[in-house]
Amino acid sequence: MPEVDRTPDWQPRSEEALNNQLATYDQMRESCPVAWSEYQHWTVFRHADVMTVLNDHDTFSNVVSSHLSVPNGMDPPIHTPYRKVIEPYFSDQAMARFEPTCRSIARKLVKKLQTNEPFDAVDALSQPFALQIQCAFMGWPESLQAPLNQWVKANHRATLSGDREAMAFIAEQFDGYIRQLLEVRRNAGAEAAKDNTSLLMEETVNGRRMTDEELISLLRNWTVGELGTISACVSILLNYLASHPELHRQLARNPLELPEAIDEILRMDAPLMSNRRVTTRPVELGGRTIPAGEKITILWASANRDERVFGDPDAFCPARNHQNNLLYGAGIHVCPGAPLARMELRILMEEWLAAVTRVTAADHSKPERALFPAGGFHHLPLVVEKR
């Protein structure tokens, strides 16, 4: 194979790209749909090319790190038994059992929001909701919420800066939290609460119980995914409704429309910006020849706005766009936690619409977008009127 040209096609960390992420991706989708950069390596912008990657797991492997990642960083056949273990935790029955707890958390947080006074929706609602929901779902103590919140922020700063030493330290810190939770349950023996963490400790893969290393990796992946993306989702939804008051009123009148509306808003403005793959063989993609062993960045924030599939990417049309929406991925690695995320967001928005008659952007400060690789908002000042 001829030597690959490593001249950057774009600069994803440039100030212009970071300050105008969606516009940059929209432009790249047209001008260079598969692009090379030192930061993201090969970035895939178009929906069709992303589907090629998702549907060919033999060529585009999920094993992107030397560190164990259960089950996200695994390929079949290793991936399959781990996936089978976790799917029942997101079944209809499991969601029905958790729904009252979820609704209680959502209702209390919405009730606490101040009326007719500016507040930061990230600090007051999106982050607390994500933290409380995750701890409740896993059976973790409330005392862990504050350390987890600080851990998420430190992890984001380290990822943003590319500080590998800091990232390793932060990962070890999280592992310490989980080891302690596992130890508490082992010491309790038969008296341990039958929460999801305890139940996972009893699961078997290939005829044996998972090791602590596997459990910690699984719980880390669940937690990082839940805390980051759910908070981003909430901030995106509230920002959109503040900008579209008629939709806010429509959904308040017709809450059954919420599930598809939520998915559509999050199609236009991605909470999870990207995922990674690595090529196992040379491959042609989007007119580029990519060697084996190359890192691929799937840019959900671009693929879900592809005009070839969705027409005007900013046109709100849930019925038309639902089938091709990649909010939760596709293929064998489609997000197993999608039922939980959809239920959490639906319930929170039901409680929001039941309590809030009007939401507007606050005048005193501007929203601040989170920076790649995070989605959503870092700061979202809003004002609400309540019933």
Side-chain angles (χ1 to χ4, degrees):
M1 174 175 288
E3 185 175 345
V4 176
D5 182 4
R6 303 289 181 179
T7 304
D9 297 305
W10 72 309
Q11 298 291 345
R13 300 296 300 161
S14 70
E15 184 176 352
E16 180 182 2
L18 290 175
N19 290 337
N20 302 278
Q21 289 183 132
L22 295 184
T24 299
Y25 304 157
D26 290 347
Q27 180 181 3
M28 289 299 298
R29 195 165 54 247
E30 296 307 307
S31 63
C32 191
V34 175
W36 167 262
S37 68
E38 292 185 3
Y39 180 71
Q40 290 187 10
H41 292 218
W42 296 101
T43 303
V44 184
F45 289 91
R46 289 184 180 172
H47 192 281
D49 293 329
V50 166
M51 290 301 298
T52 295
V53 173
L54 298 178
N55 289 325
D56 186 358
H57 57 267
D58 290 327
T59 301
F60 301 96
S61 169
N62 260 50
V63 185
V64 298
S65 171
S66 59
H67 301 288
L68 179 67
S69 181
V70 181
N72 311 42
M74 295 175 165
D75 292 327
I78 297 173
H79 163 268
T80 308
Y82 291 95
R83 176 80 183 211
K84 287 181 178 178
V85 161
I86 65 175
E87 284 179 343
Y89 289 83
F90 306 105
S91 67
D92 291 345
Q93 296 84 353
M95 296 303 94
R97 289 193 297 270
F98 186 58
E99 181 168 341
T101 299
C102 181
R103 190 171 296 280
S104 176
I105 291 170
R107 184 169 294 171
K108 288 176 182 177
L109 285 170
V110 172
K111 186 177 180 180
K112 285 173 61 178
L113 297 176
Q114 54 194 353
T115 304
N116 298 322
E117 293 289 338
F119 66 92
D120 180 4
V122 176
D123 285 341
L125 187 57
S126 70
Q127 286 184 349
F129 181 68
L131 283 162
Q132 292 180 33
I133 283 291
Q134 175 65 5
C135 287
F137 184 69
M138 298 309 303
W140 296 348
E142 290 185 10
S143 59
L144 192 56
Q145 291 176 21
L148 274 179
N149 191 30
Q150 294 304 312
W151 180 85
V152 169
K153 292 177 180 178
N155 186 54
H156 178 62
R157 287 194 297 268
T159 303
L160 196 61
S161 66
D163 187 337
R164 294 189 177 277
E165 185 175 339
M167 290 166 67
F169 173 79
I170 292 164
E172 184 59 35
Q173 186 180 41
F174 180 87
D175 292 357
Y177 296 150
I178 302 304
R179 289 184 193 281
Q180 186 175 13
L181 291 169
L182 299 180
E183 190 63 24
V184 166
R185 284 157 175 75
R186 289 197 176 104
N187 290 339
E191 301 301 317
K194 293 301 180 184
D195 53 40
N196 282 339
T197 302
S198 297
L199 293 173
L200 279 169
M201 294 171 68
E202 302 296 321
E203 297 286 1
T204 59
V205 176
N206 298 323
R208 59 165 181 81
R209 288 187 180 175
M210 284 187 281
T211 66
D212 279 7
E213 184 183 15
E214 291 169 327
L215 284 167
I216 290 168
S217 175
L218 174 57
L219 292 172
R220 188 195 306 119
N221 284 334
W222 276 17
T223 303
V224 173
E226 178 79 1
L227 297 184
T229 55
I230 290 298
S231 179
C233 285
V234 174
S235 66
I236 290 166
L237 291 169
L238 297 185
N239 177 69
Y240 193 86
L241 292 180
S243 304
H244 297 79
E246 178 52 41
L247 180 62
H248 191 283
R249 291 189 290 269
Q250 175 184 329
L251 293 174
R253 293 191 300 267
N254 304 288
L256 291 178
E257 297 177 7
L258 266 172
E260 286 194 350
I262 290 169
D263 280 9
E264 174 69 346
I265 294 168
L266 299 177
R267 174 196 65 78
M268 294 184 280
D269 192 348
L272 178 64
M273 303 296 283
S274 67
N275 277 133
R276 296 187 297 163
R277 298 291 191 272
V278 62
T279 55
T280 61
R281 63 176 180 83
V283 63
E284 295 283 339
L285 186 67
R288 306 296 289 267
T289 300
I290 303 175
E294 295 283 304
K295 294 178 181 178
I296 305 288
T297 298
I298 299 170
L299 202 57
W300 307 113
S302 173
N304 254 349
R305 294 175 54 82
D306 193 334
E307 297 84 352
R308 294 156 192 78
V309 177
F310 304 106
D312 179 355
D314 292 309
F316 179 84
C317 190
R320 182 189 67 192
N321 295 330
H322 178 74
Q323 184 174 356
N324 294 309
N325 192 340
L326 296 176
L327 174 60
Y328 295 101
I332 64 167
H333 291 288
V334 65
C335 178
L340 176 62
R342 283 190 164 113
M343 183 191 73
E344 291 170 350
L345 296 172
R346 172 182 59 80
I347 287 176
L348 178 62
M349 296 314 300
E350 285 174 354
E351 294 300 321
W352 171 276
L353 292 170
V356 174
T357 57
R358 186 168 180 260
V359 56
T360 57
D363 293 331
H364 74 293
S365 64
K366 293 183 178 180
E368 296 176 19
R369 281 273 179 179
L371 298 180
F372 186 94
F377 290 81
H378 172 69
H379 175 62
L380 182 62
L382 298 175
V383 177
V384 298
E385 299 174 8
K386 291 186 179 179
R387 300 185 193 283

